Amino acid sequence: MSLKHSLLVMLAEHPASGYDLSQHFKGSVGFFWNASHQQVYQQLKALTEAGWVRFNTEAQADKPDRKIYEITDEGRQAMTQWLREPAEVNKYKDALLIKIYGGDHIEAEVLQAEIQRHQQLHQKSLAKLKAIEQEYLALNRDQQKTMHLPYLTLKYGISAEENWLQWANQCLEVINEKT
Amino acid sequence: MSLKHSLLVMLAEHPASGYDLSQHFKGSVGFFWNASHQQVYQQLKALTEAGWVRFNTEAQADKPDRKIYEITDEGRQAMTQWLREPAEVNKYKDALLIKIYGGDHIEAEVLQAEIQRHQQLHQKSLAKLKAIEQEYLALNRDQQKTMHLPYLTLKYGISAEENWLQWANQCLEVINEKT
DNA sequence: CACATCATGTAAGCCGTTACATGATTCC
DNA sequence: GGAATCATGTAACGGCTTACATGATGTG
């Protein structure tokens, strides 16, 4: 499992609350890893019990308290050890592709509409990633240097989304020709 | 969950055994959906109990018996209903990208070696997909027509793998420059 | 007035992986 | 002799999702 370790990697950058971490999954990191807030809280509990993170409660006026988590030395050690281990090759699982695969069993229009719906969502996702890229490009050189590797993951997200959109257009053309 | 429905889509093409189905996941379908043989057998059991598939035991000389599963009318109905439902957008989860994201915590050489290892695996996967494409292209027009939609999913696999490999090369260059 | 955001969690259940189990044949 | 392929499964565990729960503030 990698969620625990993903959280450690994020906490190694700077301390954060469970809420912050789950919000982070809606940003650039969200492109290649995801978790619901429930799962984040569950894993933070497990990480605390394992001694890999600890937290301080921060009282807030007008808002609920925040538990600010930080990585411990043991956590940092566990993280670097994990980082050095070989990663499993990503297993792609996409229900839309199954629906296209079996698309002859339903009306072409339904399939087209669904692909178009996904196109819109992917376009949104691409726009978000490009906006994050603009933020990166606005940084000065020294700041960029420390973000070199995260930027590579962002670039992958952008190229993957662009590739997807290009393919979806071809898809719609082929299905149109059939009608 | 989509495994049940993926199995229905495959069985809608033609009857197959649990073994056949899990082998299918190692072929072209494996690019966008995966399941271990254990899970396939578990789900076939559940599908049988739900009345969506039924099986006939086929005795074989010198080999264990095969249970040949076929889709029932109820199963076919459940499948088309599922196909018509909107699909969730694919959630990409890639441990390698987390490792690159947090790659500053480890030696550049370790990271490079890991990326290169993945490159080899992706190259293999691409070669396999291209071999399947050659089989498709060797078919006559009528045969191709019935495979139009599965071919689209195959083309996605090819372009996604090519895109990945291109990005990995850029990655290695960037990491090299840092050293 | 309802909905979104901030902020935290528990409980139940399903999905999927890992480990275990069996047994024959074929290939190196 | 050992590994791979064919062919089927069960059991246990852990990961992840869904449903439920609370409560304040700000926005349309």
Side-chain angles (χ1 to χ4, degrees), chain A residues 38-70:
Chain A
Q38 291 94 331
Q39 214 190 334
V40 169
Y41 289 121
Q42 280 167 357
Q43 292 306 314
L44 283 173
K45 197 179 167 188
L47 284 168
T48 308
E49 279 162 18
W52 289 358
V53 303
R54 64 165 157 257
F55 64 88
N56 288 310
T57 307
E58 194 184 81
Q60 290 191 126
D62 306 340
K63 281 182 188 173
D65 293 355
R66 283 158 55 87
K67 284 188 186 174
I68 308 295
Y69 288 86
E70 57 183 329

Side-chain angles (χ1 to χ4, degrees), chain B residues 108-119:
Chain B
E109 296 76 32
V110 176
L111 197 60
Q112 283 176 320
E114 179 63 3
I115 294 170
Q116 281 163 354
R117 192 177 68 85
H118 279 253
Q119 264 185 325

Side-chain angles (χ1 to χ4, degrees), chain B residues 23-79:
Chain B
Q23 287 306 106
H24 207 169
F25 283 123
K26 292 180 186 167
S28 61
V29 179
F31 180 76
F32 56 89
W33 208 264
N34 260 291
S36 62
H37 77 273
Q38 290 94 332
Q39 214 190 333
V40 170
Y41 289 122
Q42 279 167 358
Q43 292 306 314
L44 283 173
K45 198 179 165 186
L47 285 168
T48 308
E49 279 161 18
W52 289 358
V53 303
R54 67 168 154 255
F55 64 89
N56 287 310
T57 306
E58 191 184 83
Q60 291 192 124
D62 306 339
K63 281 182 189 173
D65 292 356
R66 284 158 55 86
K67 285 188 184 174
I68 308 295
Y69 289 85
E70 56 183 328
I71 192 167
T72 62
D73 289 343
E74 292 103 301
R76 208 170 277 273
Q77 217 178 326
M79 178 193 72

